[in-house]
Amino acid sequence: MRDLRWVIVVACVAVSGAFAGSGPRQERSGVASLEWLAGMWTGMDGATKVEEFWMRPSAGVMLGVHRDVDSAGFVWFEYLRIETRAGSIVYAAMPGGRPAVLFPLKEIARNHVVFENLENDFPQRIIYRLQDDGSLLARIEGMAEGAVRSKEWVWKKGMKKED
């Protein structure tokens, strides 16, 4: 009889655990709220293949890498990081592997994030927006040579087969 009670207790715990995640989804906070950015994103910029890969958030950090490849071969790369520093979310860009330029979080909403560093030469803002069709809009903007400039890309999720 004692063994039967333990079997019933274990079964109840297992069943309650199975249904624990079936209720309303809790909103994530901090870097974890940017999980929608995770994955391999690809697109074209003229004849240049553009790829950006973001690892899923873990321990308050997302790691990423960006690569542009044209028909002649490798063109440019950048290491990326989104992390929590002193209680705030920060985007760290390391173009060409150089030391990080930090862009503190300016705005965050469901499927949209803006990072801003007005002291940087260009860009001053980095924007990501997950669009309704599942594509990712990436945009950089700011002042360059006394004029407002911007550049944007639209990427699809998933890796394309190499040519």
Side-chain angles (χ1 to χ4, degrees):
M1 184 67 151
R2 186 177 218 189
D3 290 337
L4 181 58
R5 277 188 256 162
W6 278 111
V7 169
I8 292 170
V9 168
V10 169
C12 289
V13 168
V15 169
S16 68
F19 289 104
S22 64
R25 185 175 165 184
Q26 288 186 329
E27 288 298 317
R28 294 177 175 240
S29 62
V31 174
S33 68
L34 298 174
E35 186 166 359
W36 54 267
L37 185 58
M40 179 66 169
W41 299 94
T42 60
M44 297 298 293
D45 185 5
T48 301
K49 182 179 180 181
V50 179
E51 302 170 313
E52 192 159 298
F53 173 75
W54 284 99
M55 296 175 74
R56 294 177 73 178
S58 181
V61 177
M62 288 182 78
L63 298 176
V65 65
H66 179 104
R67 172 174 69 177
D68 294 346
V69 180
D70 69 8
S71 59
F74 178 75
V75 175
W76 188 80
F77 75 97
E78 182 174 27
Y79 298 123
L80 306 164
R81 193 172 66 238
I82 299 174
E83 63 189 4
T84 303
R85 286 190 178 200
S88 297
I89 299 174
V90 176
Y91 182 101
M94 293 153 273
R98 292 192 304 270
V101 177
L102 303 179
F103 293 82
L105 178 69
K106 177 178 171 75
E107 176 184 331
I108 190 168
R110 186 175 178 266
N111 300 335
H112 175 80
V113 66
V114 179
F115 298 95
E116 184 177 73
N117 176 345
L118 298 177
E119 302 300 315
N120 192 46
D121 54 356
F122 184 84
Q124 284 91 43
R125 275 173 300 292
I126 300 170
I127 302 161
Y128 291 98
R129 181 186 322 269
L130 185 62
Q131 303 192 105
D132 291 340
D133 67 358
S135 64
L136 181 67
L137 173 83
R139 179 180 173 91
I140 56 174
E141 59 187 32
M143 295 293 291
E145 300 173 3
V148 175
R149 305 244 190 255
S150 66
K151 176 111 175 124
E152 65 182 41
W153 305 264
V154 177
W155 301 325
K156 297 289 183 187
K157 197 167 198 176
M159 188 174 276
K160 292 186 180 179
K161 195 174 186 180
E162 293 293 324
D163 297 352

